[in-house]
Amino acid sequence: MKDLFQAAGATSYPGRGIVAGRMDDGAKAFFAYFIMGRSANSRNRVFVRDGEGIRTQAFDPAAMKDPSLIIYAPVRWQDGKVVVTNGDQTDTICDFLAEGKSFGDALRTRAFEPDAPNFTPRISLIAETSGRLRFDMAVLKAADASGERCLRCFYEYEDMPAGEGRFVHTYRCDGDPIPSFEGEPEAVALSGNLDALTDGLWNALDAHNRVSLWTMAVDLATGARESRIVNQNV
């Protein structure tokens, strides 16, 4: 099991990332989502609160060139579950849940992002935090260099021990094209309270490429939530 901060800082460009797990006090679930950017358009963003969730927004609307793939709602709540993704599949998942369908049903209608030659993976999370922590993660990625086939990988976790989480991100490292994440979500150690985890994760991300970070702690007994947002653009 890796230290979360070491895992997040292992490369200058992990892209976008999702973390889920149980804080080391054993009483709270921890979630995080971050975005990074190499282009001026990608870096021209901030996280803002949107009801119970968050959305991305242009920091300088006049400088936004193409909102596709970068403006979306990364975090929403649906039927008492938190949904976290790196794209507009958040809405697809929530729409399917509202119809009584599943996380898997929703993602089987989606694929990786159409941004050849990178074919950025779509990474997603759904978590139940009522009295226990149970969550699913998914990675939708190109199965070949031509982007003609999609590989959909699903991972289910429950009864996560205190101080342990899972970390999935879109890229293995920087490159041209950027190599996609490989393998199952990384096992990571979670240590400290919400502020310590937020500060440690933000500081671990490459200072030149990081854009925004959202974190949240959920009390598994009471359902009480506490969250943080950190933006490079302020």
Side-chain angles (χ1 to χ4, degrees):
M1 187 165 58
K2 301 177 182 179
D3 175 85
L4 171 61
F5 309 143
Q6 291 178 348
T11 171
S12 64
Y13 200 63
R16 286 163 277 174
I18 298 173
V19 182
R22 194 165 188 158
M23 297 171 71
D24 59 3
D25 64 4
K28 296 177 181 177
F30 173 75
F31 303 101
Y33 177 67
F34 64 79
I35 59 175
M36 306 183 80
R38 298 194 305 179
S39 70
N41 201 46
S42 290
R43 292 173 177 170
N44 180 33
R45 289 183 290 173
V46 291
F47 284 167
V48 296
R49 299 191 186 278
D50 185 14
E52 294 183 298
I54 63 169
R55 59 185 170 85
T56 61
Q57 178 176 285
F59 176 66
D60 177 2
M64 178 62 65
K65 298 184 181 302
D66 180 7
S68 66
L69 301 179
I70 63 172
I71 299 299
Y72 55 92
V75 180
R76 288 181 57 185
W77 285 82
Q78 181 69 40
D79 299 339
K81 298 178 177 67
V82 64
V83 176
V84 184
T85 89
N86 71 326
D88 63 9
Q89 72 267 29
T90 311
D91 299 332
T92 304
I93 293 166
C94 290
D95 289 346
F96 270 63
L97 294 177
E99 296 172 0
K101 299 176 183 178
S102 72
F103 178 73
D105 291 335
L107 290 174
R108 289 184 183 94
T109 71
R110 302 302 303 268
F112 48 85
E113 294 184 352
D115 60 340
N118 296 318
F119 299 120
T120 300
R122 290 190 187 271
I123 55 174
S124 306
L125 163 84
I126 185 169
E128 174 188 342
T129 59
S130 179
R132 65 169 187 162
L133 174 62
R134 184 194 180 284
F135 61 91
D136 295 357
M137 285 180 155
V139 180
L140 313 183
K141 57 185 290 186
D144 53 54
S146 66
E148 294 181 0
R149 296 182 297 120
C150 182
L151 179 64
R152 296 179 178 85
C153 303
F154 296 88
Y155 306 90
E156 300 178 359
Y157 302 97
E158 54 185 287
D159 301 322
M160 187 70 65
E164 184 173 330
R166 293 295 183 271
F167 174 36
V168 63
H169 41 99
T170 52
Y171 306 126
R172 294 200 311 275
C173 57
D174 206 341
D176 189 18
I178 318 174
S180 293
F181 178 84
E182 283 188 344
E184 66 182 83
E186 299 175 64
V188 290
L190 306 177
S191 179
N193 62 21
L194 179 60
D195 286 327
L197 286 165
T198 302
D199 292 345
L201 182 53
W202 180 251
N203 290 328
L205 297 172
D206 183 84
H208 184 64
N209 292 319
R210 67 190 180 190
V211 175
S212 296
L213 168 67
W214 164 88
T215 60
M216 181 175 65
V218 182
D219 190 298
L220 297 173
T222 67
R225 307 171 196 163
E226 188 177 5
S227 64
R228 303 283 186 269
I229 288 177
V230 185
N231 288 310
Q232 186 80 352
N233 295 311
V234 293

